[in-house]
Amino acid sequence: MTSVVTSPPRTIRIGSRKSQLALVQTYWVQEQLQKSFPDITFEVHTMSTQGDKILDVALAKIGDKGLFTKELELGMLNKEIDFAVHSLKDLPTNLPAELTLAAITERENPADALVVHEKHKDKQIDTMPVGTVIGTSSLRRLAQLRHHFPHFTFKDVRGNLNTRLAKLDAGEYDALILAAAGLERLGMGDRVHQIIPKEISLHAVGQGALGIECRADDSDLLSLLKAIEHPQTRDRCLAERAFLRDLEGGCQVPIGVNTEIIDNKLTLTGIVTSVDGQKMVKDTVTGEANNAEAIGTELAHLLRQQGAQEILAEIFAVIQRGS
């Protein structure tokens, strides 16, 4: 009697940051993959990143290249984990040669949200009083809001979402600007007081989407991960990431975007703003969605011609001086 030798089912190790939001996102990915591949075991392994450990310094002053991703990438390169789940907005546009962006999941609302202290519940962002204290850790949000509301006061705010909301409720801030998607994923959608209109604040590159990163030579895993990819979100985010990459901007540089796809036409709007909000260049490019990255590159060239490079050079110089 001939015995049939079968290989044991593969166990796939998923890497995640330890934050509450990161784990919610990672467990969602695990659940989706488990539904599609019930014979495979998916294990979640957590790691702390530099961005999780340094909570008393503004992100822009730390150096943002891979702030929330480096440790996870090392885990993949050392084969401690097989793939990592990132908030796509945290994933640098240039990845290590051995790693690749394997899949992008369907996007939640990518917009920024206004979350207010109870005393301002009857206000919208354009009716908040002079001197309103706004908490944000994002140069992108800061720059755009300063442009529209120079009469506000802005303070850096770090920590996980619960910590930030506790500081708001304690009266340290009049309002916070947060990603709507993060609030929704944590079941805190009721804290969204107002979705900030795109005319006021364009969102971060990749905001609202999850990026799945894995080793570039793991063909079986690359094929498997396509099961949770959302093609339209991928096209939108690839255009945004190409735009950011061409301008050589990190996640903490005041670069904002907005994308939409209608009838396979992708429209990308991008903005570059000085930190004080005084200088701003903005434009839009439309093209075929299957040429997403070319659209992003074209828009970057347009904005560079309009002065974006000079604005970014000034910002990089300030950040390098540590001011």
Side-chain angles (χ1 to χ4, degrees), residues 181-207:
L183 289 163
E184 291 289 349
R185 286 188 177 122
L186 287 175
M188 298 179 183
D190 60 324
R191 293 302 302 259
V192 176
H193 182 70
Q194 179 191 5
I195 294 295
I196 306 296
K198 62 184 179 182
E199 292 76 21
I200 292 176
S201 182
L202 294 185
H203 60 75
V205 166
Q207 187 160 301

Side-chain angles (χ1 to χ4, degrees), residues 67-114:
L67 196 58
F68 295 104
T69 61
K70 275 184 181 175
E71 287 79 2
L72 291 165
E73 289 179 335
L74 282 172
M76 284 181 278
L77 294 173
N78 294 333
K79 299 194 175 181
E80 297 165 7
I81 56 174
D82 296 301
F83 72 88
V85 179
H86 306 288
S87 292
L88 187 57
K89 68 182 179 63
D90 294 332
L91 187 64
T93 55
N94 290 305
L95 305 180
E98 303 92 337
L99 302 177
T100 188
L101 180 55
I104 300 174
T105 66
E106 185 170 6
R107 190 174 222 164
E108 299 283 347
N109 186 348
D112 292 328
L114 178 72

Side-chain angles (χ1 to χ4, degrees), residues 152-190:
F152 288 170
T153 298
F154 296 94
K155 288 175 60 178
D156 193 64
V157 57
R158 294 289 315 279
N160 63 38
L161 202 50
N162 287 324
T163 298
R164 298 185 199 192
L165 291 172
K167 290 178 178 180
L168 170 69
D169 294 338
E172 293 184 37
Y173 306 88
D174 293 305
L176 302 177
I177 308 294
L178 301 167
L183 289 163
E184 291 289 349
R185 286 188 177 122
L186 287 175
M188 298 179 183
D190 60 324

